[in-house]
Amino acid sequence: MYFTLGEVLAFLAFAGLAVWFLASIRVRELALAAVDRAGKRDDFQLLDQTVQLSRISLSRDERGSWRVWRQYRFDYSYDGVERQEGFVIMLGQRLQAVVVREPNSTLH
């Protein structure tokens, strides 16, 4: 059985897309775990238990290598009533930042 060059290239493209998809799922899981840890540390509740990809681009890491930069958005609440929007930023598989607002405090 022989394969044409077009069939080999189509298979390689499909395999590349599958690897990209699986890597993207892994980064999303890492982002969700980072938000969960930040919520326990900073005492906020992650709503809907999910993060959604909002931006993606290429950026260089600290060694100068190109990596995929991803920004995920998520909803959270300090009091369980007021919904706020936060962001988690990933560069490759490394966490860059979890961005949330400070809780509103009332002075008495």
Side-chain angles (χ1 to χ4, degrees), residues 96-107:
Q96 297 297 300
V98 176
V99 181
V100 295
R101 289 188 196 173
E102 291 291 323
N104 294 334
S105 57
T106 305
L107 297 176

Side-chain angles (χ1 to χ4, degrees), residues 3-23:
F3 296 104
T4 65
L5 180 60
E7 292 171 337
V8 170
L9 291 176
F11 174 77
L12 291 175
F14 178 75
L17 285 173
V19 168
W20 169 266
F21 179 73
L22 292 174

